[in-house]
Amino acid sequence: MRLGTCLLPESLTLQGAHPKLAYFCSALVAGYYAAVDNPAHACRFWVVSAVFHSIMLRIRVWFREHFLFPRTLRGINREKKMKNYLAGAVVAASVTMGANAAYADCGEVSITEMDWASSAVVTAVAAFLMEQGYGCDVQKVPSSTVPALTSLAETGEPDILTEVWANSTPSYQGLIDEGKLVEVADVLSDGGVEAWWIPAYLAESNPELTTWEGIMANPAAVGGKFHDCPSGWACDIINNNNLKAAGIEGSGLERFQHGSGETLQTSIAAAYADKAPWFGYYWAPTAVLGKYPMVKVEVPGYDAEGHTCNGDVDCANPVFSAYPASKVATAVSSTFAEREPEVVELLNNVSFTNAQMGEVLAWRLDNNASYDEAAVYFLTTYKDVWANWLSDDAKAKLAAVLN
């Protein structure tokens, strides 16, 4: 039996919980959900839902402190953490009030959860609004850009692709031209920034390293490594072709490909902790570039034709080219656009400024929070922003959160 939204992680059940936790809440939860699942009895629980979720909030905090994050929470301001857990309980209470009316409205929806932080936050926010405001049954699909676009081209799924960095993905425009994909919004309204960087302290001590020529003259000064993004990311192919065009073979500089966005992020934090050399790819908006000052390395200017070729794994003649200012979009399959026009209208409006996203990501980093918790932080901090994304019906269903 599930404990429900904002209470325990989705992968945990009462049967799998600690015996004390299961004993304490099994009878209460069983009775509650039995009633809510019966439409005839559901309304009487709307009034008491806030009380119920306040109780469950205390259970959740106890469970997390003892079993999920005992070390992490010691270093976080408890008052601030409780404030955000309370916000989660308010969200959960409002969900219960609208659940029976909402879930008849929308069918199953699949949405990518790309393997980098800003995209995962976008997915968590969009999934919450689709589920609780529009009644969708949302399935998050862990993926990255190239596999997601390949899957959509071949199968028509997933329905929604969040945070596609369009300029770095040559196949993206082709799918739009073929009518398989519909672009619905600039999800990062300011656009994205992609570049090669060194830490600010390294640029201050060795200003010559702010140019590609300076790095090639002394690769050891940057640690002899180029820290690159994981396989499956569009930048994986582009950076590899750029490095080929730049002629790094035998230069003393080696490409080091990280296994995930988290390890790439951690490598910057570790370098800063030791004031060690670091050179590699990163992008904005991110918490990392907000927290750790980095300086762009000057490379040859943007070459549109060359950059397009660089995005192809089989590019015959790579060109050393800077990244353009990036268009960062949300896109949906054409069949989904026809099937769920009201949800597409919502997605048309879901857009974050770089400042908003950077602030949310910095909060997540400082609090070692999950993406869902970062979504709750955004929803409680920026209500005036996302309220304008919603239809009137969705606003009514989410009134308890907005008010």
Side-chain angles (χ1 to χ4, degrees), residues 270-291:
Y272 248 87
D274 298 332
K275 292 294 186 285
W278 192 96
F279 169 50
Y281 167 90
Y282 219 77
W283 72 99
T286 54
V288 171
L289 293 193
K291 187 170 184 177

Side-chain angles (χ1 to χ4, degrees), residues 120-161:
V121 170
V122 172
T123 294
V125 170
F128 173 83
L129 296 178
M130 287 189 291
E131 286 175 338
Q132 314 309 338
Y134 295 78
C136 301
D137 180 8
V138 178
Q139 177 187 7
K140 297 177 185 176
V141 181
S143 189
S144 55
T145 306
V146 176
L149 286 169
T150 301
S151 174
L152 189 140
E154 295 176 353
T155 69
E157 294 184 343
D159 298 314
I160 304 168
L161 278 67

Side-chain angles (χ1 to χ4, degrees), residues 215-216 218-220 222-226 247-254:
I215 289 174
M216 284 292 92
N218 187 10
V222 294
K225 288 182 181 179
F226 176 84
I248 70 161
E249 187 174 351
S251 69
L253 184 71
E254 295 183 355

Side-chain angles (χ1 to χ4, degrees), residues 165-393:
W165 290 60
N167 293 345
S168 299
T169 314
S171 61
Y172 175 75
Q173 187 59 48
L175 290 173
I176 292 176
D177 295 341
E178 292 173 22
K180 293 182 178 180
L181 194 64
V182 178
E183 184 177 296
V184 295
D186 291 331
V187 69
L188 297 179
S189 59
D190 301 325
V193 177
E194 296 176 272
W196 295 359
W197 313 81
I198 61 172
Y201 57 80
L202 193 59
E204 291 171 6
S205 62
N206 299 78
E208 72 279 3
L209 298 178
T210 59
T211 69
W212 174 253
E213 292 77 14
I215 289 174
M216 284 292 92
N218 187 10
V222 294
K225 288 182 181 179
F226 176 84
H227 293 264
D228 207 353
C229 50
S231 177
W233 291 21
C235 52
D236 161 30
I237 300 170
I238 294 170
N239 288 336
N240 192 40
N241 279 324
N242 262 320
L243 290 169
K244 287 179 182 178
I248 70 161
E249 187 174 351
S251 69
L253 184 71
E254 295 183 355
R255 182 186 185 220
F256 180 83
Q257 190 167 22
H258 285 267
S260 69
E262 284 73 19
T263 61
L264 180 58
Q265 167 185 302
T266 301
S267 71
I268 296 176
Y272 248 87
D274 298 332
K275 292 294 186 285
W278 192 96
F279 169 50
Y281 167 90
Y282 219 77
W283 72 99
T286 54
V288 171
L289 293 193
K291 187 170 184 177
Y292 304 109
M294 305 290 281
V295 175
K296 280 186 186 180
V297 171
E298 184 181 334
V299 300
Y302 170 61
D303 183 307
E305 185 176 345
H307 183 75
T308 299
C309 185
N310 288 347
D312 185 349
V313 69
D314 297 318
C315 177
N317 298 297
V319 176
F320 196 11
S321 166
Y323 281 87
S326 293
K327 177 183 183 65
V328 186
T330 296
V332 302
S333 70
S334 55
T335 54
F336 181 79
E338 295 174 3
R339 190 179 81 233
E340 300 293 347
E342 190 176 7
V343 176
V344 171
E345 185 178 349
L346 163 69
L347 296 173
N348 281 335
N349 299 326
V350 175
S351 183
F352 304 78
T353 66
N354 285 355
Q356 290 165 353
M357 180 58 73
E359 199 267 334
V360 171
L361 293 176
W363 178 90
R364 175 182 173 270
L365 186 65
D366 289 343
N367 290 276
N368 199 23
S370 70
Y371 295 124
D372 286 336
E373 287 169 330
V376 170
Y377 176 78
F378 172 81
L379 292 165
T380 54
T381 305
Y382 291 99
K383 288 187 283 188
D384 57 329
V385 173
W386 62 267
N388 295 321
W389 298 347
L390 306 174
S391 66
D392 290 341
D393 286 346

Side-chain angles (χ1 to χ4, degrees), residues 21-76:
L21 178 64
Y23 177 80
F24 183 86
C25 61
S26 59
L28 177 61
V29 176
Y32 176 80
Y33 275 99
V36 170
D37 288 339
N38 183 341
H41 298 153
C43 62
R44 71 186 62 177
F45 283 89
W46 292 358
V47 176
V48 300
S49 63
V51 176
F52 169 78
H53 285 288
S54 294
I55 295 171
M56 297 310 296
L57 169 65
R58 298 189 181 200
I59 296 171
R60 179 177 187 251
V61 172
W62 176 85
F63 181 86
R64 290 171 62 90
E65 288 180 341
H66 286 80
F67 297 99
L68 294 183
F69 305 118
R71 295 182 200 169
T72 300
L73 289 179
R74 288 176 196 153
I76 298 175

Side-chain angles (χ1 to χ4, degrees), residues 79-151:
E79 181 179 351
K80 181 178 180 182
K81 200 70 175 175
M82 286 295 293
K83 176 182 177 182
N84 286 289
Y85 285 139
L86 181 60
V90 172
V91 172
S94 69
V95 167
T96 304
M97 293 175 67
N100 287 284
Y103 283 111
D105 296 346
C106 173
E108 294 183 355
V109 176
S110 56
I111 182 172
T112 57
E113 185 175 59
M114 304 293 196
D115 51 352
W116 61 88
S118 56
S119 180
V121 170
V122 172
T123 294
V125 170
F128 173 83
L129 296 178
M130 287 189 291
E131 286 175 338
Q132 314 309 338
Y134 295 78
C136 301
D137 180 8
V138 178
Q139 177 187 7
K140 297 177 185 176
V141 181
S143 189
S144 55
T145 306
V146 176
L149 286 169
T150 301
S151 174

